[in-house]
Amino acid sequence: SIFAVLLAVTFASCAQVEDPCKTKSRVVADDKYCDKYWECDNGQSIQYDCPNGLVFAGKHRGVTEGCDYPWRSNYCEYPKVQINPPIGTEHCDWLYGIFGHETSCTRYWTCWNGTATEQLCIGGLLYNENAHSCDWPENVDGCQKHPLCNDDPNGNVPLGKSCNRYWQCQGGYPRLQRCPAMLVFDRRSLRCVVPPTEECDVPTTTAPPPEEENQQDLRQGQQHKRPNGEYQDQGRQRQQSRN
């Protein structure tokens, strides 16, 4: 019967890898394909596919179902390969992954099951496609000049509505700066001046001490999504391999 043939093929393939039913984790990696793995199910070794774009990392590891991004570690080293072809959607080369933006060096896409979410690099950073994360501009090929510094590679740029913080461009790379105590940033002269200005009054308090400022920056940073774009997806079921 067809079922008997499929079962024979499954056991023949499984014979090349460690029997997951004889391991403590009940799950083992495939010996040829890094985006497949074997799991013991009711006493039988069954092959499964990782979600499209991910590779097997180990039980209770990775971003979902024991699978992770292939660039995270040595999950997919030669001679192992990804056998499943990419399934692309808008902005996503694979259903799961982190990908560069088509028109912006400061933005990127995190893709989860084919749904793309636009992310923004903060703090003067640019998206580095080799590192799959936000990085200093000097480390990003093809985006050497940050958009903030297009007008003047060595000038100052206002930071939103802030009265004491601003961007200082250094060779096209922005660095976050703060005006000295009791001074404010003037949007017309693009430098720190004695207040008041059209936008800023005389400060009522001095700048917070460095340790307090660091705590404020930390709290603000926690409001942003992490650059690596990790999520959890508990509702999606595993996809059993058809190969």
Side-chain angles (χ1 to χ4, degrees), residues 71 127-133 135 139-141:
W71 39 264
Y127 180 71
N128 187 330
E129 293 203 43
N130 294 325
H132 301 276
S133 63
D135 201 351
N139 298 329
V140 182
D141 294 334

Side-chain angles (χ1 to χ4, degrees), residues 10 14 17-18 20 25-40 45-51 54-61 64-68 80 83-84 236-243:
T10 298
C14 188
V17 299
E18 185 178 7
S25 65
R26 315 283 284 182
V27 181
V28 297
D30 190 84
D31 63 330
K32 294 181 179 179
Y33 306 120
C34 43
D35 50 358
K36 293 178 179 288
Y37 62 96
W38 297 84
E39 185 167 350
C40 183
S45 299
I46 306 298
Q47 189 182 54
Y48 290 94
D49 286 328
C50 281
L54 304 181
V55 297
F56 184 69
K59 190 174 183 179
H60 304 312
R61 300 180 65 182
T64 185
E65 300 179 23
C67 300
D68 204 352
K80 282 191 174 185
I83 186 62
N84 292 314
R236 202 181 66 81
Q237 297 180 348
R238 293 175 304 169
Q239 179 182 3
Q240 185 170 337
S241 173
R242 292 176 292 180
N243 296 329

Side-chain angles (χ1 to χ4, degrees), residues 48-101:
Y48 290 94
D49 286 328
C50 281
N52 188 254
L54 304 181
V55 297
F56 184 69
K59 190 174 183 179
H60 304 312
R61 300 180 65 182
V63 293
T64 185
E65 300 179 23
C67 300
D68 204 352
Y69 302 117
W71 39 264
R72 277 276 182 84
S73 187
N74 58 346
Y75 301 133
C76 201
E77 290 186 333
Y78 181 83
K80 282 191 174 185
V81 296
Q82 285 180 263
I83 186 62
N84 292 314
I87 301 175
T89 61
E90 187 177 10
H91 308 303
C92 303
D93 297 338
W94 301 74
L95 293 184
Y96 290 79
I98 303 176
F99 307 102
H101 199 279

Side-chain angles (χ1 to χ4, degrees), residues 123-126 135-140 143-150 152-155 167-177:
L125 303 182
L126 302 178
D135 201 351
W136 293 113
E138 55 264 36
N139 298 329
V140 182
C143 285
Q144 293 301 315
K145 304 303 178 184
H146 195 283
L148 280 172
C149 302
N150 280 342
D152 186 351
N154 294 294
W167 296 106
Q168 183 182 65
C169 294
Q170 302 173 7
Y173 310 139
R175 297 290 184 265
L176 190 59
Q177 304 290 341

